[in-house]
Amino acid sequence: MKKKRIFAGIAAIVMVSGMTACGSSEEADTADETTSATTTTGVTVAVNTEALKEEEEDALSDVMSKLRDVELENKEIKWLAHYDINPNTNGASKKVEIEMFEKKYGGSIKWYPTTWDNRYTDLSTNILGGEGIDFFPSDANNLPKGIVNGMFVPVDDYIDLDSDIWSETKNAMELLNFNGKHYEFVTGVTAEQVTIYNTQTIEENGFEDPWELYKKGEWNWDTFEQMLIDFVDVDNDCHGLDGWYNEKALFLSAGVPMVQSVDGNLVCNINDPTVERAMNFQYDLYNNGLVLPLEQYDWSIQPQMMGEGKELFYFCGSWGFEGAPETWETKIPPENMAIAPVPSPAGSDPYQSAVLNGFVLCKGAQNPLGVALFAECSILAGTDENAIAISDRKLRDDSGWSDELIERNKEINALAKEYPVLDLAAGCSADIASLTTDGGSTIGTRAAFHGVDWATNRESTADILLMLVDEVNEQIKES
């Protein structure tokens, strides 16, 4: 029976896969641009070859002196993902970690494009075909099931966790420690979502700035909800909270995920009172009409309303406003763009839904050492002061970020590093994901934002969810 379950799991992972009434101002006249990989064939991407400033070259040399002195026999590492890690045509310049990887090791990254829906199918095809794909994005969907299904292998043989470089992320890597082995090159911890708002909308409605509330220790669920209540007026086209993953951000801001690893074992928290509190809070927001009614907009988010003054808050990762300002989906002018952390319950620590940035190592990787060295370049790019200064300059020049916006983003990411919450539910199995994160709008952690009360939701799923998590624990032990 267990062999059948594991075989089914392998099959599953392969198949998975002008301001208006709310305020008066000029409408942002910008053009939206989105790009994505839509095929699984090779493509050519124009590379921004912007040269570093002379003083930055010297600073970068100092940073690179902290890297291992290793000669890579194979200079190329193969990256399969739904996005290119190399520079693109969307106004972004070469990332500092890529500069270092090229200059220190002569390295290069070959992109194998895929799509979000096809990424596991394409990875499986390449693994079975012996292409030697080296690394793959780590996200909430691939661990621990990628271990059980033989997609990913441990990284421990290629790094020294006791070295100075890995001291920055060593604790975070323990969140994905299974059977005493580590399965991700964790290169940094960032906030998965931030609260985006338009300062002009805040001022015109007489609200206190959310960032100032945060600095005073008063930015919490209560002040967040009250602002929404005071702002929302559907009849006048004024809406509250928008975003694809706003329910996840608020759920995890309470501090307890649905599934987590404790001392190497998976634990299901469906009966935890903190989970109940988070679900009830979201249910109340929905019932009070404080969340954008997506059904009225063909089930699509409307971030451009932020620039029009028609929405108060939008949850998105900070990547949503990288690149040239004219590509920002919110259409908020750079001078009015502001962010704050996702609020947590009053009196609690400022928990943040955390992203463990990094990569997983693929089975059959031909250049695992190259990936490890690139990961170390990425760690230094996010922690060394000289490297950070270069990245900051790029954000100012390429993305129009103010110094204040840059510093706020750093502080929010520091919160995520200090108070990280990581939900492993979607990464356990397709069955667990269908009962928690991916089962649609009437079940799991999304249901409260669609009018399903938590008591009903929990009663329908608790017993089977607890059983399924126990099964995955057994599969991990066997693997």
Side-chain angles (χ1 to χ4, degrees):
M1 177 63 74
K2 287 181 178 177
K3 289 182 179 179
K4 289 181 179 179
R5 288 186 185 279
I6 293 174
F7 182 81
I10 296 173
I13 198 170
V14 170
M15 296 301 294
V16 174
S17 323
M19 299 249 180
T20 55
C22 309
S24 58
S25 181
E26 296 180 4
E27 180 177 343
D29 183 20
T30 55
D32 186 26
E33 177 185 346
T34 56
T35 58
S36 62
T38 56
T39 68
T40 56
T41 58
V43 298
T44 300
V45 178
V47 176
N48 183 330
T49 56
E50 172 219 24
L52 292 176
K53 300 179 185 300
E54 183 176 350
E55 64 272 18
E56 291 178 340
E57 289 279 8
D58 294 338
L60 200 63
S61 295
D62 291 339
V63 178
M64 290 190 297
S65 68
K66 301 176 183 179
L67 293 167
R68 282 188 268 174
D69 290 322
V70 175
E71 178 67 29
L72 273 178
E73 294 183 10
N74 180 2
K75 309 292 186 184
E76 181 181 83
I77 53 178
K78 298 179 178 180
W79 164 254
L80 187 146
H82 58 288
Y83 62 94
D84 191 1
I85 205 169
N86 293 293
N88 57 53
T89 58
N90 198 32
S93 59
K94 190 181 296 181
K95 293 185 177 181
V96 174
E97 55 265 37
I98 296 178
E99 294 268 10
M100 289 195 285
F101 187 57
E102 291 176 351
K103 293 178 183 295
K104 178 73 174 184
Y105 301 112
S108 65
I109 303 170
K110 182 177 181 180
W111 179 38
Y112 287 70
T114 181
T115 64
W116 178 262
D117 291 335
N118 292 336
R119 65 197 192 284
Y120 288 114
T121 303
D122 286 351
L123 178 60
S124 176
T125 299
N126 279 283
I127 289 176
L128 293 174
E131 178 60 30
I133 297 296
D134 294 303
F135 65 135
F136 186 84
S138 183
D139 58 42
N141 297 299
N142 55 24
L143 291 174
K145 67 185 177 187
I147 302 167
V148 174
N149 297 315
M151 289 284 189
F152 309 121
V153 296
V155 304
D156 301 82
D157 288 345
Y158 310 102
I159 60 176
D160 177 7
L161 280 179
D162 293 323
S163 66
D164 290 340
I165 289 179
W166 288 98
S167 65
E168 290 289 339
T169 61
K170 181 177 181 179
N171 291 337
M173 288 185 65
E174 292 302 321
L175 297 175
L176 294 172
N177 182 340
F178 301 97
N179 282 345
K181 296 183 182 296
H182 302 89
Y183 283 85
E184 179 183 344
F185 294 109
V186 178
T187 59
V189 182
T190 57
E192 186 171 21
Q193 310 279 332
V194 299
T195 303
I196 297 175
Y197 58 97
N198 187 332
T199 57
Q200 184 168 348
T201 304
I202 294 295
E203 292 170 3
E204 291 180 349
N205 285 272
F207 297 142
E208 188 167 358
D209 191 294
W211 182 259
E212 298 304 321
L213 287 170
Y214 158 69
K215 297 301 286 186
K216 295 194 299 184
E218 297 175 5
W219 179 237
N220 52 51
W221 283 358
D222 297 338
T223 52
F224 171 76
E225 182 178 24
Q226 189 59 54
M227 278 192 189
L228 291 171
I229 291 172
D230 292 341
F231 180 82
V232 170
D233 184 351
V234 177
D235 291 339
N236 286 313
D237 207 16
C238 297
H239 301 285
L241 175 64
D242 194 3
W244 274 126
Y245 303 106
N246 44 29
E247 73 279 351
K248 180 181 181 183
L250 284 175
F251 167 50
L252 296 183
S253 72
V256 178
M258 189 63 71
V259 180
Q260 65 185 133
S261 178
V262 179
D263 296 329
N265 292 309
L266 296 175
V267 175
C268 178
N269 296 313
I270 192 168
N271 292 316
D272 191 288
T274 300
V275 169
E276 180 175 17
R277 181 185 183 189
M279 291 294 106
N280 287 341
F281 174 66
Q282 293 186 64
Y283 184 65
D284 289 342
L285 292 180
Y286 171 84
N287 282 337
N288 289 325
L290 305 180
V291 183
L292 181 74
L294 293 179
E295 65 275 9
Q296 296 181 21
Y297 295 93
D298 197 26
W299 298 102
S300 297
I301 58 174
Q302 302 296 314
Q304 77 285 349
M305 287 186 180
M306 295 294 297
E308 299 167 354
K310 297 179 181 179
E311 281 184 351
L312 188 58
F313 297 126
Y314 178 63
F315 285 173
C316 182
S318 60
W319 51 264
F321 48 99
E322 292 181 359
E326 59 267 22
T327 69
W328 297 354
E329 291 185 337
T330 61
K331 306 304 180 188
I332 300 175
E335 64 271 18
N336 295 335
M337 171 64 78
I339 59 174
V342 172
S344 294
S348 81
D349 289 327
Y351 298 108
Q352 300 294 303
S353 174
V355 174
L356 303 188
N357 299 308
F359 326 107
V360 284
L361 190 62
C362 300
K363 181 178 180 180
Q366 295 177 350
N367 195 359
L369 177 59
V371 178
L373 295 175
F374 176 64
E376 291 176 358
C377 291
S378 298
I379 291 174
L380 283 178
T383 58
D384 183 272
E385 290 184 2
N386 288 323
I388 291 172
I390 297 172
S391 296
D392 290 351
R393 194 268 301 169
K394 288 173 178 285
L395 285 172
R396 284 190 292 270
D397 292 352
D398 298 346
S399 301
W401 285 29
S402 65
D403 289 338
E404 183 179 27
L405 192 62
I406 290 171
E407 292 307 313
R408 286 189 186 188
N409 193 52
K410 289 178 183 177
E411 188 163 344
I412 294 171
N413 286 334
L415 288 179
K417 186 175 180 179
E418 186 174 359
Y419 303 100
V421 187
L422 185 69
D423 196 339
L424 298 177
C428 286
S429 71
D431 288 338
I432 291 174
S434 70
L435 293 174
T436 54
T437 61
D438 300 343
S441 60
T442 61
I443 192 170
T445 53
R446 296 182 59 207
F449 260 6
H450 295 83
V452 180
D453 71 276
W454 178 239
T456 300
N457 193 347
R458 179 179 55 204
E459 183 178 355
S460 66
T461 60
D463 289 344
I464 188 166
L465 188 58
L466 289 165
M467 181 191 72
L468 289 171
V469 171
D470 284 343
E471 280 190 358
V472 176
N473 268 321
E474 290 301 315
Q475 291 171 350
I476 292 174
K477 291 176 182 177
E478 291 175 3
S479 69

